Amino acid sequence: MCRWIRGTPYARIAAHYADLIASGQLQPGTLLPSIKNLSEEWQVSTATVEKALRKLRNDGLIRGIHGIGTEVVDQPSSMSSGSQRQDRGRRTGSSWGDGERSDSHQAAVVPAPADVAQALDIQPGTEVVRRSRVYRDRHGIVAHSTSWIPARYGRLIPQLATSERLTGGTSLQLIAEATGHAISHRIDTASASRLTAEYARLLELDPDEASAGPVVVMTAKFVDSEGNVVEYGVDLGGPGRTWRTESEVVA
């Protein structure tokens, strides 16, 4: 019998195979066991197995091939926001999603643009640390991410202003540790924006050939226990990416 997972029988089966697919233990093109074999392995009815497979299909993880079986689908991971990466880092110790990596880390102290100044509750033109990086998986860019941090935290933590991947934790973890003030809450937004020349550059697209479709823009504002806005993050979804969340609905 497979490892125990909380939830209804069909949910346990679906979660088990979703985990195997997410971890790479089941590669794209792999065939799942037959409904009969799954029924015997999990000691449930075939109807329960069919319901589990239906959930995996609805989640875009598998597809049925007539006369052959059920195949794991190769697909890009969804984009993630700064707040989702914060949650992931707190749970797993890493902000990266399955199969992700980050590169093109850049940092500089710059004058705050008007929208950033408003988000950070400072005057436009005030110095801020701008940190950017690109998240990728095997399909290409997942998201271009920029963090805007008040310059006082850069003076407190010099590595925030260096163009290298941070060590010792995320920027939020480093700020909380240095100040002694925990990050208490965050404000998230999601919107669609037209593909501007600047967005095309950041997403490594040719403006003349790029799709005219909208770009998913996610922002996250992080506030500490003293009410200070310590970081404002802006994430641009890569081509073909969607933003996805999932939660249980309790009747």
Side-chain angles (χ1 to χ4, degrees):
M1 180 66 180
C2 296
R3 67 183 178 84
W4 184 81
I5 305 173
R6 294 181 61 185
T8 59
Y10 92 87
R12 290 201 300 271
I13 297 170
H16 173 74
Y17 281 99
D19 284 348
L20 292 179
I21 293 169
S23 67
Q25 294 180 65
L26 285 180
Q27 292 292 313
T30 302
L31 294 178
L32 298 189
S34 68
I35 290 177
K36 180 177 182 295
N37 287 343
L38 286 172
S39 175
E40 294 173 352
E41 179 183 356
W42 288 83
Q43 299 176 14
V44 296
S45 68
T46 56
T48 295
V49 172
E50 289 172 346
K51 188 174 182 181
L53 295 180
R54 188 180 310 122
K55 173 170 173 48
L56 292 171
R57 284 196 300 272
N58 290 341
D59 289 344
L61 300 177
I62 62 172
R63 64 171 180 169
I65 304 177
H66 182 69
I68 297 179
T70 303
E71 177 187 57
V72 176
V73 175
D74 186 17
Q75 62 172 9
S77 63
S78 59
M79 73 162 290
S80 56
S81 66
S83 56
Q84 288 171 313
R85 287 194 294 273
Q86 182 202 23
D87 289 341
R88 193 159 53 213
R90 189 170 56 242
R91 292 195 313 269
T92 69
S94 173
S95 63
W96 294 337
D98 294 311
E100 279 186 8
R101 67 185 190 282
S102 63
D103 59 32
S104 304
H105 291 256
Q106 296 184 7
V109 176
V110 299
D115 59 326
V116 171
Q118 182 177 9
L120 293 176
D121 195 23
I122 58 178
Q123 290 296 315
T126 302
E127 286 192 340
V128 293
V129 176
R130 181 186 63 207
R131 294 189 56 84
S132 64
R133 79 290 291 167
V134 177
Y135 290 89
R136 307 178 193 269
D137 63 14
R138 65 183 182 276
H139 295 275
I141 292 181
V142 175
H144 181 283
S145 179
T146 304
S147 300
W148 302 87
I149 303 168
R152 65 180 180 275
Y153 298 116
R155 292 188 289 271
L156 188 62
I157 311 164
Q159 74 161 315
L160 289 178
T162 61
S163 296
E164 298 176 357
R165 184 178 296 123
L166 295 176
T167 59
T170 65
S171 54
L172 293 170
Q173 291 168 331
L174 293 173
I175 292 170
E177 182 178 329
T179 62
H181 304 313
I183 307 303
S184 60
H185 66 283
R186 69 191 185 216
I187 303 167
D188 299 321
T189 71
S191 62
S193 176
R194 67 183 182 86
L195 181 65
T196 64
E198 175 63 6
Y199 285 173
R201 182 184 69 80
L202 295 176
L203 294 173
E204 300 175 9
L205 300 173
D206 184 337
D208 296 327
E209 298 179 3
S211 167
V215 175
V216 178
V217 181
M218 309 287 298
T219 73
K221 184 162 65 173
F222 298 91
V223 184
D224 70 12
S225 56
E226 297 296 298
N228 301 304
V229 182
V230 300
E231 185 171 316
Y232 175 60
V234 181
D235 291 273
L236 306 178
R241 306 286 174 160
T242 58
W243 180 52
R244 178 185 172 190
T245 62
E246 182 174 342
S247 59
E248 292 187 1
V249 177
V250 180

